[in-house]
Amino acid sequence: MTPPQRRRRQPLPPPPPAPVPPPESPEDGEKQPERLYTITGPDGERAPLDLVTLIVACAEPSSSATPEQTVVLRMCAAPLSVAEVSAYLGLPFSVVTVLLTEMLAAELVQARAPIVRQKLPDRSLLEAVMHGLQRL
């Protein structure tokens, strides 16, 4: 007696593409997402912030702070780069730059230059020190 043979499954046909629903007009009870210009306010001068500029909170969030400012102040208790703040908030770099410029003007945060690695000392200086120590 031989064991029954297994049959291979046939691949399923791909499902038909789902139709894209037409854009709906906002009704009274639905809340639409806010536009980025409502978060940033009027576009004025921006602070010279780079992607690697470190942001550190200087104050606790006040009751009058916007939700975005409150989140930034809580996140930046330890230094964070502008790129990290932008990624955590899920906002474009330009929007975060305007938001941080307002916060810098209000002295809620500080901007620090990124920590740069120091250059290695000159090889000839190291050799001179090594020879001087060997003579001792």
Side-chain angles (χ1 to χ4, degrees):
M1 185 166 186
T2 60
Q5 299 262 337
R6 292 190 181 187
R7 293 184 186 173
R8 288 191 170 229
R9 293 184 189 174
Q10 296 297 323
L12 297 174
V20 178
E24 298 177 10
S25 61
E27 296 178 9
D28 295 334
E30 294 182 19
K31 183 177 180 184
Q32 294 294 318
E34 293 184 15
R35 301 277 183 201
L36 294 178
Y37 61 81
T38 61
I39 293 173
T40 59
D43 193 18
E45 291 186 27
R46 294 184 187 174
L49 297 174
D50 201 2
L51 285 171
V52 292
T53 303
L54 297 176
I55 304 297
V56 183
C58 297
E60 292 293 321
S62 65
S63 60
S64 63
T66 64
E68 291 81 14
Q69 290 177 344
T70 304
V71 171
V72 169
L73 288 173
R74 288 185 181 150
M75 279 192 319
C76 293
L80 280 179
S81 70
V82 177
E84 291 174 312
V85 172
S86 175
Y88 289 141
L89 289 178
L91 295 173
F93 174 73
S94 58
V95 174
V96 172
T97 304
V98 173
L99 181 66
L100 290 174
T101 300
E102 293 172 2
M103 294 177 75
L104 285 167
E107 296 182 355
L108 296 173
V109 295
Q110 284 182 346
R112 297 182 184 170
I115 300 170
V116 180
R117 291 185 179 176
Q118 294 181 355
K119 292 183 179 179
L120 293 175
D122 188 24
R123 183 180 174 107
S124 61
L125 175 65
L126 289 176
E127 288 176 354
V129 171
M130 183 178 71
H131 292 304
L133 289 173
Q134 287 175 348
R135 288 186 196 147
L136 291 175

